[in-house]
Amino acid sequence: MEHIIIIGGGGTGAAIAHDLVLRGFEVSLFERGELLSGTTGRHHGLLHSGARYAVHDPAAARECISENKILRRIAPQAIEQNDGLFVALDEADLDYKPLFLENCRACGIPARELTAEQALALEPELNPSLKAAVQVPDATMDAWRLPLHFYATARANGARIHNFSEIIGFSQAEGAVTGIRVLDHQSHREYDVRGDLFVNAAGAWAGKICDLAGIQLPIQPGPGVMVAVNDRLTNMVINRLHKAGEGDIIVPQRKLTILGTSIWLADDPDAVELPKDHGPRLIELGAKLVPAVKKAEIHSMWCAVRPLIAQAEAKDPQEISRDFDCCDHKQRDNLEGLISVIGGKATTLRLMAEKIADLICRKTGRNIACKTKTKKLLHYRMFY
Ligand SMILES: Cc1cc2nc3c(=O)[nH]c(=O)nc-3n(C[C@H](O)[C@H](O)[C@H](O)COP(=O)(O)OP(=O)(O)OC[C@H]3O[C@@H](n4cnc5c(N)ncnc54)[C@H](O)[C@@H]3O)c2cc1C
């Protein structure tokens, strides 16, 4: 069977490795740091129902609700079945509600209207002056444990996973990529690895990988800040019921509450610094939904970088679609052997992997069905 090399050890790389070994391919994955040390290990941990995207990004919303159901089945230990509330705080939010409900229904997302009293009975720390709420099947996932389920299963099925192994170059012959140059950060040794196909799953760094191959990728790194406060202030995920914006997500994670998030655009994902004013702004906005946020002790503050697909026409970074794209560089740049995956969400990691593996099957002339929709994953502890 063909040897497929995956570049990038985030959630997307994990799911691709899992899918490809199940289809019988030989798989090697290379990650420059610790596994999941890029964006995946740093996100909120919101398993999206898709409701956040239902009005303005319905394709992404449909993918989220479908994957939300699948991940609950195949990795139940990594997910809390806690649901989410979209909370209306003012008349403008109430005016948005009919459109929100209509679009949730159109995308197949169950949405239950609640009165203010019903919402407060479920979540007593909500702003007592809320006007109404809508319950949807959002959930809390563990940003590390979910992808580690994929790594544990992929490795048990034969995938070779190399962390602290950075791709620093490609070898090419006759218009095709034939190998990678790897720098092992533990032994400080460089070596070459040959393969049949190469998957660039380097997230926000995917453009830098393409630079190494002498081609360009339309990727737009989009950083965002999150703040964790001590104490679990709500049991459910809380969103503001309005057009998705800044500081309108609250995700409970075990004994913490994570407030998110902001967005801006960056050129280089390695040169992103945490803007000083974002944390206080997120606390201010989060406290509108759950006032106790303001009094809670800050546990930590950090940022992560979204691997967005560049969209010149989007005036506001929030408007950039969270959908994903699989790019065959033979079609795009006349360079055989290299495939890139960009965009997407941690919630859609399995689907992104399915599409990449389908593309690899087409390119290698194989007709092997995807098995990851139903295959239960090994527990993340099996990885260690
Ligand atoms: C602020 C914020 C909040 C978010 N919240 C959520 C959420 O709640 N729910 C959700 O579903 N999604 C969320 N997302 C989106 C989600 O985190 C990402 O879409 C997803 O984690 C991307 O995974 P990935 O594997 O594609 O990229 P990454 O996890 O970044 O993996 C790419 C890897 O490639 C590695 N790499 C780079 N260069 C090289 C090289 N030369 N050689 C080898 N390896 C290399 C990097 O080190 C990195 O580990 C959020 C994103 C942000 C920024």
Side-chain angles (χ1 to χ4, degrees), residues 8 11-12 31-32 38-40 43-44 46 167 226 304 306 344 346-347:
T12 309
E31 160 59 46
R32 71 177 184 174
T39 305
T40 301
H43 67 74
H44 300 104
L46 168 50
I167 308 312
M226 284 151 287
R306 298 169 186 84
T347 302

Side-chain angles (χ1 to χ4, degrees), residues 306-354:
R306 298 169 186 84
L308 301 172
I309 302 173
Q311 276 174 357
E313 68 279 9
K315 288 180 214 83
D316 172 358
Q318 286 285 6
E319 286 174 6
I320 298 179
S321 169
R322 301 308 200 257
D323 210 352
F324 65 90
D325 195 15
C326 301
C327 171
D328 180 351
H329 292 287
K330 173 66 184 165
Q331 307 290 326
R332 206 186 130 80
D333 308 292
N334 201 24
L335 178 63
E336 187 55 280
L338 183 64
I339 292 167
S340 292
V341 54
I342 51 173
K345 306 285 303 167
T347 302
T348 56
L349 81 176
R350 191 214 61 84
L351 178 65
M352 293 162 77
E354 178 181 337

Side-chain angles (χ1 to χ4, degrees), residues 124-298:
E125 293 292 344
L126 284 177
N127 185 335
S129 64
L130 84 160
K131 307 280 183 219
V134 178
Q135 185 171 355
V136 297
D138 281 345
T140 296
M141 64 169 141
D142 190 300
W144 280 82
R145 290 178 183 172
L146 177 75
L148 274 182
H149 278 63
F150 282 87
Y151 277 121
T153 317
R155 201 171 60 182
N157 288 324
R160 291 189 292 270
I161 313 288
H162 307 268
N163 52 359
F164 302 109
S165 300
E166 181 168 357
I167 308 312
I168 54 169
F170 287 102
S171 37
Q172 300 183 18
E174 295 168 9
V177 175
T178 54
I180 47 169
R181 181 105 181 134
V182 182
L183 168 61
D184 180 329
H185 283 288
Q186 296 182 95
S187 66
H188 308 291
R189 196 172 62 91
E190 287 184 20
Y191 60 97
D192 297 306
V193 182
R194 295 185 72 78
D196 297 301
L197 280 175
F198 300 80
V199 182
N200 172 11
W205 293 266
K208 290 189 153 190
I209 299 297
C210 281
D211 290 347
L212 293 175
I215 53 176
Q216 293 203 321
L217 193 67
I219 182 129
Q220 174 60 69
V225 171
M226 284 151 287
V227 180
V229 298
N230 282 327
D231 292 337
R232 184 172 173 122
L233 301 173
T234 63
N235 185 46
M236 303 164 92
V237 177
I238 309 296
N239 273 263
R240 178 102 184 239
L241 181 55
H242 65 184
K243 184 179 170 194
E246 194 185 40
D248 58 1
I249 303 178
I250 298 181
V251 184
Q253 279 281 0
R254 284 176 255 172
K255 299 239 162 109
L256 298 176
T257 299
I258 302 184
L259 315 174
T261 177
S262 54
I263 184 165
W264 71 99
L265 302 181
D267 294 328
D268 181 355
D270 286 316
V272 169
E273 293 198 5
L274 201 143
K276 284 199 176 62
D277 55 330
H278 284 215
R281 207 156 71 222
L282 292 179
I283 292 169
E284 201 62 44
L285 290 166
K288 290 188 179 180
L289 288 162
V290 175
V293 158
K294 244 186 179 159
K295 294 201 189 100
E297 189 186 8
I298 295 175

Side-chain angles (χ1 to χ4, degrees), residues 80-119:
E80 271 194 61
Q81 315 275 340
N82 51 344
D83 271 5
L85 292 181
F86 278 74
V87 177
L89 293 182
D90 58 23
E91 293 301 321
D93 294 354
L94 274 183
D95 290 345
Y96 186 72
K97 189 161 66 115
L99 180 67
F100 177 78
L101 288 167
E102 188 188 317
N103 281 270
C104 282
R105 276 185 207 114
C107 293
I109 302 162
R112 186 166 80 100
E113 287 186 76
L114 301 178
T115 62
E117 293 71 30
Q118 287 170 323

